[in-house]
Amino acid sequence: MPWKTVLLVLLAFVTGIGVLARIAMRVPEPPAHQVFINGDVLTMDAENRIVEAISVREDRIEAVGTTDQMMALVDDATDVVDLRGRTLMPGFVDAHGHFPYSGFSELAASLYSPPVGEIESIEQLQAELETWVKRTEPGEWVMGMGYDDTLLAENRHPTREELDAVSTRHPIAIGHVSGHLMVANSAALALLGIDADTPDPEGGIIGRKAGSKEPNGLLEETATEQLVGILMDLGLLDIYRMIKSATAEYAAVGVTTAQSGGVVPELAKGMSLFSRLGVIPLRLVVFPFEREFGEVLYNGEYTADDFDTDRLTMSAVKIVADGSIQGFTGYLSLPYHTPFHGDADYRGYPAVLREELFKKVEALHAAGYQLAIHGNGDESIEDILDAFESAQAKHPRPDPRLILVHSQMAREDQVARMKALGVTPSFFSAHTWYWGDRHRDIFIGPDRAAMISPARWAVDRELRFSSHLDTPVVPMQPLQAVWSQVFRQTYGGDVLGPEQRIDVMQALRAVTIDAAWQVFQEADRGSIEPGKYADLVVLSGNPLDDPMNMRDIQVDRTLVGGAIVYRRQ
């Protein structure tokens, strides 16, 4: 997402108050030595050992074992933390999300419906936007995020006229919960230069009024890019507020490695700088967007070292191959369950045409990049696997770890192909909770819905995978991701595809060590083993003891490199 002025304001920030910032915002320092004793330590090592205690020297794990063994290492300078039976785990690794965009809630109206928010009608949506209009100067943008057309009483998207009813003196834009659609009012469309004569961009659609070419305000996929660029052109204070809010949210739920799964160069530079200043104490894994980074990825000018810090790693190159099932833009092999706008043959569409996808994947793979490709629909997944199989045949690599992001509609034959090709899926398993009922009843029907995020097929084939939340699409709640893989229960109370359930330890690995492995970070995080970073989370209870109620477990402490970045008690 383009942040046109981020780098300039950040440089001004450094020039003006850089020295003070380094003092005020430096990353917390760990004790020289600390031991954690009398706990349930879930190591997530290769044997899934559970021990009592660990020793940490500076920012690294020194030893694991019994309480007596760790107490033998204690001297007068040691900090001793008595877990009193609580659970110690590796910090959660965000396998796919969009840090720091959950912090955008500081800058935009929250339009989420239950179970996340309270908006259940367009009238309520308008009322929430009106509260933001009242505190925004005329001519300035008013933004909203998270609306879901299928959970509104009207069962449709808001229109430009309904946003005009909120204000014609402010450009207004609201984002769909999927992150793939937006609605703009007339003032916003005018600023964008979108009218009846504007053609649909490749890989996107401009919604039109019935029987007319006049835009109705709805923008799909690549048609949102110009609008997103304007909305993300933020000032220094807004950037700072967003990052601080997201950091606090992630730390409070035990995330020690956050992911920004698709960034433009300006945002990558900005996050790199904020990481160096200590504003972001978490570790970050950042995916550069292929479209936005562009030619530098192909001509050799891109260097990850230009962005990397001791806590930020530039990782896989991100391509978005299709859209969202709940936005009717995911690309399916068979039509949607409910005909879209009456079209019984509608299957969605690719965001990148098949021939172009083959070219991009081959060029990037040949250049040595790891790839992360967004694919929700099974037809999109087929294109991705075909493109990668072709690239790997021409430029073979022994361990490519192409990440197939979401893999929501992956068929059993496609899971088998992933294993053969060295592809690793990252499942958005919490879809079963947030959208399972509607996937079954509206989007894809009961048979296909029962197989979304098919973790059991992956386990049965010894295919390593991760589980993610795609935050801010849904809140950052790692134990929700675990719970959903274990129970696959919908918000309506049904079980969606019980045959795809996996056990608790497998699901915990998908948000710790296997998520770290997926981005080639398994050597220093994701499990509690000597030599690894002391990235840890102290939980009030053990997810293994009462799995159904694991979502009620609280995070008591979060530590990055042995230093506390969140403490409840």
Side-chain angles (χ1 to χ4, degrees), residues 115-132:
V116 178
E118 299 178 352
I119 303 298
E120 297 183 296
S121 69
I122 290 176
E123 182 179 2
Q124 289 178 321
L125 180 149
Q126 291 172 312
E128 181 63 23
L129 288 171
E130 285 169 359
T131 65
W132 285 74

Side-chain angles (χ1 to χ4, degrees), residues 107-181:
L107 313 175
S110 177
L111 305 178
Y112 291 91
S113 297
V116 178
E118 299 178 352
I119 303 298
E120 297 183 296
S121 69
I122 290 176
E123 182 179 2
Q124 289 178 321
L125 180 149
Q126 291 172 312
E128 181 63 23
L129 288 171
E130 285 169 359
T131 65
W132 285 74
V133 165
K134 291 175 181 177
R135 57 193 190 207
T136 305
E137 291 293 324
E140 297 294 320
W141 283 87
V142 172
M143 301 172 284
M145 60 186 293
Y147 85 89
D148 189 332
D149 55 304
T150 65
L151 289 178
L152 298 176
E154 296 82 359
N155 198 32
R156 61 172 173 80
H157 297 280
T159 65
R160 65 186 286 185
E161 287 80 11
E162 284 165 333
L163 297 189
D164 287 346
V166 176
S167 176
T168 57
R169 302 174 66 198
H170 300 78
I172 300 175
I174 60 174
H176 189 260
V177 67
S178 68
H180 289 259
L181 315 169

Side-chain angles (χ1 to χ4, degrees), residues 17 67 97 144 185 248 281 287 331 352 355 357 387 403 446 498 522 548 555:
I17 57 173
T67 293
N185 73 346
F287 291 176
Y331 186 31
V352 180
E355 182 178 350
L357 183 65
I403 305 169
E522 72 274 17
M548 178 55 77
V555 171

Side-chain angles (χ1 to χ4, degrees), residues 17 58 117 196 200 208 246 267 272 279 309 323 372 388 473 475 496 516 520 531 554:
I17 57 173
E58 302 289 350
D200 291 343
R208 314 284 177 171
L267 179 54
S272 175
V279 177
T309 73
F388 186 65
V473 174
L496 195 68
F520 290 95
Q554 294 183 296

Side-chain angles (χ1 to χ4, degrees), residues 26 30 40 55 64 78 88 169 226 250 266 275 335 346 389:
R26 63 178 179 266
D40 286 338
S55 173
V64 301
T78 303
L88 183 69
R169 302 174 66 198
Q226 184 186 0
Y250 280 51
E266 293 83 1
S275 177
Y346 178 81
E389 184 172 30

